[in-house]
Amino acid sequence: MPEMHFTVLWPDGQEHTCYSPSLVVQDFLVPGQRYPLPDFLARTQEALTIASDRVAAKYGFACSRAMDQWSAIAHHAETYANQHNAQVEVLRFDT
């Protein structure tokens, strides 16, 4: 199963590289696109859940690393919860 990384730019200018065990993230995010924080969270949660489910279908167990990545994204996003119109930009995909 091809894994990938995607780099995002948070509202405060921090760049983070994130992990996915599947290329499915490409169906939910577009490099160069900015997403309102709630939309970004919904898209990454769905993409990483599908990615983990694909691992489970192939190997018989979910991908804990994908779920850990989702948890890290959600935790970091709490920093911006009170920022009106906070956006996250997807910078690039690395496969």
Side-chain angles (χ1 to χ4, degrees), residues 15-77:
E15 284 187 24
H16 283 171
T17 299
C18 304
Y19 168 81
S20 173
S22 167
L23 301 179
V24 71
V25 171
Q26 295 174 332
D27 295 340
F28 291 85
L29 301 173
V30 177
Q33 181 71 39
R34 294 179 154 267
Y35 298 93
L37 185 60
D39 186 30
F40 175 75
L41 291 173
R43 287 169 179 271
T44 54
Q45 182 178 31
E46 187 172 359
L48 290 170
T49 298
I50 291 170
S52 180
D53 290 348
R54 288 182 178 182
V55 170
K58 186 168 184 173
Y59 298 107
F61 53 86
C63 180
S64 61
R65 190 170 171 198
M67 294 298 86
D68 288 348
Q69 181 62 74
W70 160 243
S71 179
I73 288 169
H75 179 75
H76 192 79

